Amino acid sequence: DTEVTQTPKHLVMGMTNKKSLKCEQHMGHRAMYWYKQKAKKPPELMFVYSYEKLSINESVPSRFSPECPNSSLLNLHLHALQPEDSALYLCASSQDPRTVTATNEKLFFGSGTQLSVL
Amino acid sequence: TQLLEQSPQFLSIQEGENLTVYCNSSSVFSSLQWYRQEPGEGPVLLVTVVTGGEVKKLKRLTFQFGDARKDSSLHITAAQPGDTGHYLCAGAWGTDKLIFGTGTRLQVFP
């Protein structure tokens, strides 16, 4: 299994709603990532989890709350979002957070959750 | 702030033409990756280059890492409509941070 699975594929929510995005991988990867991608723009790093601990937070607003319950799962809890938060949210994983830059290391991306905030 | 600029941003060419996409930064990368992304999907890795001056080939795609490890290029020979997509370079700083370039959207017409 070389897949990163994200659910839901599409999500529409109001500014007062609370929702969660889910990401799952069964490749034994110990680094997991959240990226945000606006239309026609490159993915922007939000969070990195390394061995289930938050290692990087790229100054993301607190209305986005990541959680890594175990080594296979990554959640992104959403609360009081703004319309400008509408984007494709991508989850990724890599085998070892210490070697993501090594020759044979790569990020495996999920297909993303397309989020619309009304 | 690390910044990776890609050029051109958009490229429309006819089938059979050659093209080169550039990825530039003022920072030195520990390594650089090239990804391709289809609409509604996550990026898929094409190649990783690590050593300054390194050249890697993937069928009709040739990837080069600059000697100073600040820039990279992707050259496609005899482009096909199937090469159409969004090409992204991604630079690695430190051990667990991968930052994407500004992207190049390629359209190859039959």
mmCIF file of all heavy atoms in Angstrom, chain B residues 6-51:
data_model
loop_
_atom_site.group_PDB
_atom_site.id
_atom_site.type_symbol
_atom_site.label_atom_id
_atom_site.label_comp_id
_atom_site.label_asym_id
_atom_site.label_seq_id
_atom_site.Cartn_x
_atom_site.Cartn_y
_atom_site.Cartn_z
ATOM 1 N N GLN B 6 10.220 30.000 -10.233
ATOM 2 C CA GLN B 6 10.235 29.212 -11.460
ATOM 3 C C GLN B 6 9.908 30.091 -12.654
ATOM 4 O O GLN B 6 9.089 31.012 -12.557
ATOM 5 C CB GLN B 6 9.215 28.070 -11.383
ATOM 6 C CG GLN B 6 9.681 26.902 -10.537
ATOM 7 C CD GLN B 6 8.691 25.753 -10.561
ATOM 8 O OE1 GLN B 6 8.178 25.372 -9.520
ATOM 9 N NE2 GLN B 6 8.415 25.215 -11.734
ATOM 10 N N SER B 7 10.535 29.773 -13.778
ATOM 11 C CA SER B 7 10.212 30.474 -15.018
ATOM 12 C C SER B 7 10.275 29.488 -16.173
ATOM 13 O O SER B 7 11.107 28.565 -16.171
ATOM 14 C CB SER B 7 11.187 31.634 -15.238
ATOM 15 O OG SER B 7 12.508 31.154 -15.330
ATOM 16 N N PRO B 8 9.400 29.632 -17.169
ATOM 17 C CA PRO B 8 8.295 30.589 -17.152
ATOM 18 C C PRO B 8 7.168 30.114 -16.249
ATOM 19 O O PRO B 8 7.161 28.970 -15.811
ATOM 20 C CB PRO B 8 7.848 30.592 -18.610
ATOM 21 C CG PRO B 8 8.138 29.207 -19.087
ATOM 22 C CD PRO B 8 9.398 28.791 -18.375
ATOM 23 N N GLN B 9 6.221 31.001 -15.967
ATOM 24 C CA GLN B 9 5.043 30.623 -15.184
ATOM 25 C C GLN B 9 4.101 29.778 -16.009
ATOM 26 O O GLN B 9 3.471 28.854 -15.499
ATOM 27 C CB GLN B 9 4.286 31.878 -14.746
ATOM 28 C CG GLN B 9 4.690 32.436 -13.403
ATOM 29 C CD GLN B 9 3.714 33.500 -12.962
ATOM 30 O OE1 GLN B 9 3.611 34.549 -13.580
ATOM 31 N NE2 GLN B 9 2.988 33.233 -11.899
ATOM 32 N N PHE B 10 3.955 30.137 -17.284
ATOM 33 C CA PHE B 10 3.061 29.441 -18.200
ATOM 34 C C PHE B 10 3.796 29.179 -19.505
ATOM 35 O O PHE B 10 4.624 29.982 -19.932
ATOM 36 C CB PHE B 10 1.801 30.273 -18.507
ATOM 37 C CG PHE B 10 1.036 30.683 -17.294
ATOM 38 C CD1 PHE B 10 1.220 31.937 -16.739
ATOM 39 C CD2 PHE B 10 0.136 29.816 -16.699
ATOM 40 C CE1 PHE B 10 0.513 32.320 -15.605
ATOM 41 C CE2 PHE B 10 -0.573 30.190 -15.564
ATOM 42 C CZ PHE B 10 -0.375 31.442 -15.019
ATOM 43 N N LEU B 11 3.497 28.064 -20.116
ATOM 44 C CA LEU B 11 4.152 27.710 -21.370
ATOM 45 C C LEU B 11 3.170 26.903 -22.210
ATOM 46 O O LEU B 11 2.650 25.878 -21.752
ATOM 47 C CB LEU B 11 5.398 26.878 -21.080
ATOM 48 C CG LEU B 11 6.408 26.631 -22.187
ATOM 49 C CD1 LEU B 11 6.852 27.937 -22.824
ATOM 50 C CD2 LEU B 11 7.609 25.884 -21.648
ATOM 51 N N SER B 12 2.906 27.389 -23.422
ATOM 52 C CA SER B 12 2.044 26.673 -24.369
ATOM 53 C C SER B 12 2.863 26.380 -25.612
ATOM 54 O O SER B 12 3.377 27.306 -26.242
ATOM 55 C CB SER B 12 0.831 27.526 -24.762
ATOM 56 O OG SER B 12 -0.025 27.699 -23.676
ATOM 57 N N ILE B 13 2.995 25.130 -25.952
ATOM 58 C CA ILE B 13 3.822 24.761 -27.096
ATOM 59 C C ILE B 13 3.130 23.685 -27.923
ATOM 60 O O ILE B 13 2.159 23.067 -27.481
ATOM 61 C CB ILE B 13 5.214 24.241 -26.662
ATOM 62 C CG1 ILE B 13 5.055 23.000 -25.768
ATOM 63 C CG2 ILE B 13 6.010 25.322 -25.963
ATOM 64 C CD1 ILE B 13 6.369 22.320 -25.447
ATOM 65 N N GLN B 14 3.663 23.461 -29.127
ATOM 66 C CA GLN B 14 3.155 22.407 -29.997
ATOM 67 C C GLN B 14 3.900 21.101 -29.701
ATOM 68 O O GLN B 14 5.063 21.108 -29.280
ATOM 69 C CB GLN B 14 3.368 22.783 -31.466
ATOM 70 C CG GLN B 14 2.534 23.950 -31.956
ATOM 71 C CD GLN B 14 1.056 23.620 -31.993
ATOM 72 O OE1 GLN B 14 0.235 24.366 -31.457
ATOM 73 N NE2 GLN B 14 0.711 22.492 -32.598
ATOM 74 N N GLU B 15 3.199 20.023 -29.960
ATOM 75 C CA GLU B 15 3.800 18.702 -29.830
ATOM 76 C C GLU B 15 5.093 18.638 -30.658
ATOM 77 O O GLU B 15 5.149 19.147 -31.775
ATOM 78 C CB GLU B 15 2.798 17.654 -30.334
ATOM 79 C CG GLU B 15 3.269 16.220 -30.220
ATOM 80 C CD GLU B 15 2.187 15.238 -30.649
ATOM 81 O OE1 GLU B 15 1.102 15.687 -31.079
ATOM 82 O OE2 GLU B 15 2.426 14.024 -30.546
ATOM 83 N N GLY B 16 6.138 18.047 -30.067
ATOM 84 C CA GLY B 16 7.406 17.889 -30.776
ATOM 85 C C GLY B 16 8.444 18.949 -30.434
ATOM 86 O O GLY B 16 9.633 18.769 -30.703
ATOM 87 N N GLU B 17 7.986 20.045 -29.853
ATOM 88 C CA GLU B 17 8.929 21.104 -29.476
ATOM 89 C C GLU B 17 9.691 20.726 -28.213
ATOM 90 O O GLU B 17 9.244 19.888 -27.415
ATOM 91 C CB GLU B 17 8.189 22.424 -29.257
ATOM 92 C CG GLU B 17 7.630 23.041 -30.522
ATOM 93 C CD GLU B 17 7.012 24.411 -30.263
ATOM 94 O OE1 GLU B 17 7.513 25.143 -29.397
ATOM 95 O OE2 GLU B 17 6.020 24.739 -30.929
ATOM 96 N N ASN B 18 10.841 21.372 -28.018
ATOM 97 C CA ASN B 18 11.622 21.213 -26.790
ATOM 98 C C ASN B 18 11.349 22.397 -25.869
ATOM 99 O O ASN B 18 10.982 23.487 -26.341
ATOM 100 C CB ASN B 18 13.119 21.175 -27.095
ATOM 101 C CG ASN B 18 13.483 20.046 -28.035
ATOM 102 O OD1 ASN B 18 12.818 19.013 -28.075
ATOM 103 N ND2 ASN B 18 14.541 20.244 -28.810
ATOM 104 N N LEU B 19 11.529 22.207 -24.569
ATOM 105 C CA LEU B 19 11.318 23.299 -23.632
ATOM 106 C C LEU B 19 12.200 23.113 -22.404
ATOM 107 O O LEU B 19 12.641 22.008 -22.105
ATOM 108 C CB LEU B 19 9.842 23.353 -23.185
ATOM 109 C CG LEU B 19 9.389 22.157 -22.353
ATOM 110 C CD1 LEU B 19 9.068 22.563 -20.921
ATOM 111 C CD2 LEU B 19 8.219 21.466 -23.008
ATOM 112 N N THR B 20 12.454 24.234 -21.731
ATOM 113 C CA THR B 20 13.223 24.193 -20.483
ATOM 114 C C THR B 20 12.510 25.046 -19.433
ATOM 115 O O THR B 20 12.085 26.162 -19.722
ATOM 116 C CB THR B 20 14.650 24.721 -20.688
ATOM 117 O OG1 THR B 20 15.299 23.944 -21.696
ATOM 118 C CG2 THR B 20 15.454 24.627 -19.399
ATOM 119 N N VAL B 21 12.396 24.503 -18.249
ATOM 120 C CA VAL B 21 11.816 25.202 -17.101
ATOM 121 C C VAL B 21 12.943 25.420 -16.089
ATOM 122 O O VAL B 21 13.747 24.519 -15.843
ATOM 123 C CB VAL B 21 10.682 24.367 -16.469
ATOM 124 C CG1 VAL B 21 10.135 25.055 -15.225
ATOM 125 C CG2 VAL B 21 9.573 24.118 -17.480
ATOM 126 N N TYR B 22 12.972 26.616 -15.514
ATOM 127 C CA TYR B 22 14.050 26.959 -14.590
ATOM 128 C C TYR B 22 13.502 27.162 -13.177
ATOM 129 O O TYR B 22 12.377 27.632 -12.990
ATOM 130 C CB TYR B 22 14.746 28.237 -15.059
ATOM 131 C CG TYR B 22 15.394 28.096 -16.406
ATOM 132 C CD1 TYR B 22 14.693 28.462 -17.567
ATOM 133 C CD2 TYR B 22 16.669 27.572 -16.538
ATOM 134 C CE1 TYR B 22 15.271 28.315 -18.813
ATOM 135 C CE2 TYR B 22 17.255 27.424 -17.785
ATOM 136 C CZ TYR B 22 16.558 27.794 -18.915
ATOM 137 O OH TYR B 22 17.133 27.640 -20.155
ATOM 138 N N CYS B 23 14.341 26.843 -12.217
ATOM 139 C CA CYS B 23 14.000 26.987 -10.799
ATOM 140 C C CYS B 23 15.190 27.654 -10.134
ATOM 141 O O CYS B 23 16.309 27.110 -10.167
ATOM 142 C CB CYS B 23 13.717 25.604 -10.209
ATOM 143 S SG CYS B 23 13.446 25.554 -8.434
ATOM 144 N N ASN B 24 14.989 28.845 -9.589
ATOM 145 C CA ASN B 24 16.113 29.628 -9.066
ATOM 146 C C ASN B 24 15.866 30.124 -7.655
ATOM 147 O O ASN B 24 14.735 30.458 -7.288
ATOM 148 C CB ASN B 24 16.367 30.843 -9.973
ATOM 149 C CG ASN B 24 16.851 30.446 -11.336
ATOM 150 O OD1 ASN B 24 17.945 29.952 -11.510
ATOM 151 N ND2 ASN B 24 15.999 30.641 -12.326
ATOM 152 N N SER B 25 16.949 30.222 -6.907
ATOM 153 C CA SER B 25 16.872 30.744 -5.541
ATOM 154 C C SER B 25 18.187 31.419 -5.197
ATOM 155 O O SER B 25 19.218 31.139 -5.813
ATOM 156 C CB SER B 25 16.586 29.608 -4.558
ATOM 157 O OG SER B 25 16.629 30.078 -3.233
ATOM 158 N N SER B 26 18.137 32.298 -4.222
ATOM 159 C CA SER B 26 19.377 32.891 -3.717
ATOM 160 C C SER B 26 19.979 32.033 -2.607
ATOM 161 O O SER B 26 21.083 32.295 -2.136
ATOM 162 C CB SER B 26 19.112 34.309 -3.199
ATOM 163 O OG SER B 26 18.116 34.279 -2.206
ATOM 164 N N SER B 27 19.214 31.011 -2.192
ATOM 165 C CA SER B 27 19.673 30.131 -1.108
ATOM 166 C C SER B 27 20.266 28.853 -1.686
ATOM 167 O O SER B 27 19.926 28.435 -2.799
ATOM 168 C CB SER B 27 18.511 29.763 -0.188
ATOM 169 O OG SER B 27 17.917 30.894 0.374
ATOM 170 N N VAL B 28 21.105 28.219 -0.914
ATOM 171 C CA VAL B 28 21.676 26.927 -1.294
ATOM 172 C C VAL B 28 20.771 25.828 -0.760
ATOM 173 O O VAL B 28 20.391 25.837 0.413
ATOM 174 C CB VAL B 28 23.096 26.760 -0.709
ATOM 175 C CG1 VAL B 28 23.645 25.375 -1.017
ATOM 176 C CG2 VAL B 28 24.016 27.844 -1.262
ATOM 177 N N PHE B 29 20.410 24.887 -1.623
ATOM 178 C CA PHE B 29 19.565 23.777 -1.210
ATOM 179 C C PHE B 29 20.417 22.595 -0.775
ATOM 180 O O PHE B 29 21.482 22.363 -1.330
ATOM 181 C CB PHE B 29 18.690 23.259 -2.355
ATOM 182 C CG PHE B 29 18.026 24.281 -3.214
ATOM 183 C CD1 PHE B 29 17.935 24.102 -4.570
ATOM 184 C CD2 PHE B 29 17.477 25.411 -2.661
ATOM 185 C CE1 PHE B 29 17.316 25.026 -5.376
ATOM 186 C CE2 PHE B 29 16.854 26.349 -3.462
ATOM 187 C CZ PHE B 29 16.785 26.155 -4.825
ATOM 188 N N SER B 30 19.915 21.811 0.157
ATOM 189 C CA SER B 30 20.564 20.539 0.443
ATOM 190 C C SER B 30 20.191 19.524 -0.638
ATOM 191 O O SER B 30 20.974 18.617 -0.943
ATOM 192 C CB SER B 30 20.191 20.025 1.834
ATOM 193 O OG SER B 30 18.797 20.027 2.015
ATOM 194 N N SER B 31 19.026 19.662 -1.198
ATOM 195 C CA SER B 31 18.643 18.855 -2.358
ATOM 196 C C SER B 31 17.453 19.530 -3.017
ATOM 197 O O SER B 31 16.854 20.450 -2.447
ATOM 198 C CB SER B 31 18.271 17.423 -1.966
ATOM 199 O OG SER B 31 17.074 17.405 -1.215
ATOM 200 N N LEU B 32 17.120 19.088 -4.218
ATOM 201 C CA LEU B 32 15.998 19.677 -4.912
ATOM 202 C C LEU B 32 15.207 18.577 -5.590
ATOM 203 O O LEU B 32 15.789 17.640 -6.141
ATOM 204 C CB LEU B 32 16.480 20.699 -5.946
ATOM 205 C CG LEU B 32 15.350 21.507 -6.569
ATOM 206 C CD1 LEU B 32 15.673 22.977 -6.584
ATOM 207 C CD2 LEU B 32 15.007 21.006 -7.947
ATOM 208 N N GLN B 33 13.900 18.703 -5.520
ATOM 209 C CA GLN B 33 13.023 17.720 -6.134
ATOM 210 C C GLN B 33 12.151 18.397 -7.184
ATOM 211 O O GLN B 33 11.825 19.586 -7.081
ATOM 212 C CB GLN B 33 12.149 17.052 -5.070
ATOM 213 C CG GLN B 33 12.961 16.306 -4.017
ATOM 214 C CD GLN B 33 12.113 15.657 -2.943
ATOM 215 O OE1 GLN B 33 10.981 16.031 -2.710
ATOM 216 N NE2 GLN B 33 12.680 14.659 -2.275
ATOM 217 N N TRP B 34 11.771 17.631 -8.194
ATOM 218 C CA TRP B 34 10.799 18.086 -9.191
ATOM 219 C C TRP B 34 9.560 17.203 -9.089
ATOM 220 O O TRP B 34 9.667 15.971 -9.043
ATOM 221 C CB TRP B 34 11.377 17.994 -10.606
ATOM 222 C CG TRP B 34 12.345 19.081 -10.928
ATOM 223 C CD1 TRP B 34 13.696 19.067 -10.786
ATOM 224 C CD2 TRP B 34 12.022 20.373 -11.470
ATOM 225 N NE1 TRP B 34 14.244 20.255 -11.199
ATOM 226 C CE2 TRP B 34 13.244 21.080 -11.633
ATOM 227 C CE3 TRP B 34 10.834 20.998 -11.854
ATOM 228 C CZ2 TRP B 34 13.299 22.375 -12.139
ATOM 229 C CZ3 TRP B 34 10.886 22.284 -12.355
ATOM 230 C CH2 TRP B 34 12.115 22.961 -12.494
ATOM 231 N N TYR B 35 8.399 17.871 -9.057
ATOM 232 C CA TYR B 35 7.117 17.188 -8.980
ATOM 233 C C TYR B 35 6.258 17.601 -10.165
ATOM 234 O O TYR B 35 6.431 18.680 -10.739
ATOM 235 C CB TYR B 35 6.358 17.574 -7.700
ATOM 236 C CG TYR B 35 6.908 16.994 -6.420
ATOM 237 C CD1 TYR B 35 8.013 17.563 -5.792
ATOM 238 C CD2 TYR B 35 6.317 15.880 -5.838
ATOM 239 C CE1 TYR B 35 8.516 17.038 -4.619
ATOM 240 C CE2 TYR B 35 6.814 15.346 -4.651
ATOM 241 C CZ TYR B 35 7.904 15.928 -4.053
ATOM 242 O OH TYR B 35 8.402 15.410 -2.890
ATOM 243 N N ARG B 36 5.299 16.744 -10.482
ATOM 244 C CA ARG B 36 4.283 17.083 -11.468
ATOM 245 C C ARG B 36 2.920 16.888 -10.816
ATOM 246 O O ARG B 36 2.706 15.888 -10.118
ATOM 247 C CB ARG B 36 4.414 16.183 -12.686
ATOM 248 C CG ARG B 36 3.351 16.432 -13.738
ATOM 249 C CD ARG B 36 3.600 15.580 -14.941
ATOM 250 N NE ARG B 36 2.389 15.392 -15.686
ATOM 251 C CZ ARG B 36 2.310 14.699 -16.800
ATOM 252 N NH1 ARG B 36 3.387 14.113 -17.280
ATOM 253 N NH2 ARG B 36 1.167 14.574 -17.428
ATOM 254 N N GLN B 37 2.028 17.837 -11.037
ATOM 255 C CA GLN B 37 0.710 17.776 -10.409
ATOM 256 C C GLN B 37 -0.375 17.889 -11.463
ATOM 257 O O GLN B 37 -0.359 18.787 -12.310
ATOM 258 C CB GLN B 37 0.558 18.913 -9.380
ATOM 259 C CG GLN B 37 -0.724 18.842 -8.575
ATOM 260 C CD GLN B 37 -0.800 19.913 -7.510
ATOM 261 O OE1 GLN B 37 -0.122 20.930 -7.575
ATOM 262 N NE2 GLN B 37 -1.641 19.697 -6.502
ATOM 263 N N GLU B 38 -1.330 16.961 -11.397
ATOM 264 C CA GLU B 38 -2.502 17.012 -12.266
ATOM 265 C C GLU B 38 -3.634 17.709 -11.508
ATOM 266 O O GLU B 38 -3.651 17.689 -10.272
ATOM 267 C CB GLU B 38 -2.942 15.598 -12.648
ATOM 268 C CG GLU B 38 -1.860 14.769 -13.326
ATOM 269 C CD GLU B 38 -1.507 15.275 -14.702
ATOM 270 O OE1 GLU B 38 -2.343 15.998 -15.293
ATOM 271 O OE2 GLU B 38 -0.414 14.973 -15.184
ATOM 272 N N PRO B 39 -4.597 18.291 -12.222
ATOM 273 C CA PRO B 39 -5.712 18.975 -11.544
ATOM 274 C C PRO B 39 -6.444 18.051 -10.572
ATOM 275 O O PRO B 39 -6.743 16.912 -10.901
ATOM 276 C CB PRO B 39 -6.621 19.381 -12.707
ATOM 277 C CG PRO B 39 -5.716 19.465 -13.893
ATOM 278 C CD PRO B 39 -4.674 18.408 -13.689
ATOM 279 N N GLY B 40 -6.695 18.548 -9.365
ATOM 280 C CA GLY B 40 -7.440 17.778 -8.382
ATOM 281 C C GLY B 40 -6.660 16.656 -7.738
ATOM 282 O O GLY B 40 -7.233 15.824 -7.029
ATOM 283 N N GLU B 41 -5.349 16.611 -7.964
ATOM 284 C CA GLU B 41 -4.516 15.556 -7.384
ATOM 285 C C GLU B 41 -3.347 16.175 -6.637
ATOM 286 O O GLU B 41 -3.013 17.352 -6.837
ATOM 287 C CB GLU B 41 -3.978 14.630 -8.483
ATOM 288 C CG GLU B 41 -5.052 13.865 -9.247
ATOM 289 C CD GLU B 41 -5.758 12.841 -8.388
ATOM 290 O OE1 GLU B 41 -5.117 12.286 -7.478
ATOM 291 O OE2 GLU B 41 -6.966 12.599 -8.623
ATOM 292 N N GLY B 42 -2.680 15.368 -5.802
ATOM 293 C CA GLY B 42 -1.477 15.837 -5.149
ATOM 294 C C GLY B 42 -0.284 15.723 -6.075
ATOM 295 O O GLY B 42 -0.314 14.993 -7.071
ATOM 296 N N PRO B 43 0.795 16.440 -5.784
ATOM 297 C CA PRO B 43 2.007 16.351 -6.607
ATOM 298 C C PRO B 43 2.614 14.954 -6.548
ATOM 299 O O PRO B 43 2.555 14.286 -5.518
ATOM 300 C CB PRO B 43 2.943 17.379 -5.968
ATOM 301 C CG PRO B 43 2.072 18.275 -5.165
ATOM 302 C CD PRO B 43 0.923 17.435 -4.711
ATOM 303 N N VAL B 44 3.218 14.547 -7.651
ATOM 304 C CA VAL B 44 3.899 13.254 -7.730
ATOM 305 C C VAL B 44 5.367 13.507 -8.053
ATOM 306 O O VAL B 44 5.677 14.236 -9.002
ATOM 307 C CB VAL B 44 3.262 12.354 -8.811
ATOM 308 C CG1 VAL B 44 4.047 11.059 -8.959
ATOM 309 C CG2 VAL B 44 1.807 12.053 -8.463
ATOM 310 N N LEU B 45 6.253 12.903 -7.266
ATOM 311 C CA LEU B 45 7.680 13.135 -7.447
ATOM 312 C C LEU B 45 8.175 12.578 -8.780
ATOM 313 O O LEU B 45 7.871 11.445 -9.161
ATOM 314 C CB LEU B 45 8.462 12.473 -6.312
ATOM 315 C CG LEU B 45 9.981 12.653 -6.368
ATOM 316 C CD1 LEU B 45 10.353 14.099 -6.047
ATOM 317 C CD2 LEU B 45 10.676 11.699 -5.412
ATOM 318 N N LEU B 46 8.973 13.398 -9.488
ATOM 319 C CA LEU B 46 9.639 12.947 -10.715
ATOM 320 C C LEU B 46 11.082 12.554 -10.429
ATOM 321 O O LEU B 46 11.550 11.502 -10.869
ATOM 322 C CB LEU B 46 9.617 14.062 -11.761
ATOM 323 C CG LEU B 46 8.234 14.499 -12.252
ATOM 324 C CD1 LEU B 46 8.357 15.712 -13.174
ATOM 325 C CD2 LEU B 46 7.521 13.367 -12.969
ATOM 326 N N VAL B 47 11.807 13.420 -9.701
ATOM 327 C CA VAL B 47 13.236 13.169 -9.477
ATOM 328 C C VAL B 47 13.724 13.968 -8.284
ATOM 329 O O VAL B 47 13.125 14.984 -7.920
ATOM 330 C CB VAL B 47 14.037 13.554 -10.747
ATOM 331 C CG1 VAL B 47 14.252 15.065 -10.809
ATOM 332 C CG2 VAL B 47 15.366 12.840 -10.824
ATOM 333 N N THR B 48 14.804 13.493 -7.667
ATOM 334 C CA THR B 48 15.526 14.244 -6.643
ATOM 335 C C THR B 48 16.961 14.404 -7.104
ATOM 336 O O THR B 48 17.583 13.439 -7.548
ATOM 337 C CB THR B 48 15.511 13.504 -5.298
ATOM 338 O OG1 THR B 48 14.167 13.305 -4.880
ATOM 339 C CG2 THR B 48 16.247 14.305 -4.230
ATOM 340 N N VAL B 49 17.495 15.610 -7.021
ATOM 341 C CA VAL B 49 18.916 15.845 -7.300
ATOM 342 C C VAL B 49 19.572 16.360 -6.028
ATOM 343 O O VAL B 49 18.985 17.161 -5.297
ATOM 344 C CB VAL B 49 19.130 16.812 -8.483
ATOM 345 C CG1 VAL B 49 18.853 16.098 -9.789
ATOM 346 C CG2 VAL B 49 18.270 18.062 -8.368
ATOM 347 N N VAL B 50 20.766 15.880 -5.780
ATOM 348 C CA VAL B 50 21.424 16.153 -4.509
ATOM 349 C C VAL B 50 22.796 16.815 -4.686
ATOM 350 O O VAL B 50 23.159 17.719 -3.937
ATOM 351 C CB VAL B 50 21.582 14.844 -3.700
ATOM 352 C CG1 VAL B 50 22.270 15.099 -2.379
ATOM 353 C CG2 VAL B 50 20.233 14.193 -3.466
ATOM 354 N N THR B 51 23.534 16.369 -5.686
ATOM 355 C CA THR B 51 24.913 16.827 -5.855
ATOM 356 C C THR B 51 24.983 17.973 -6.848
ATOM 357 O O THR B 51 24.354 17.913 -7.915
ATOM 358 C CB THR B 51 25.783 15.669 -6.360
ATOM 359 O OG1 THR B 51 25.611 14.540 -5.510
ATOM 360 C CG2 THR B 51 27.255 16.076 -6.390
#
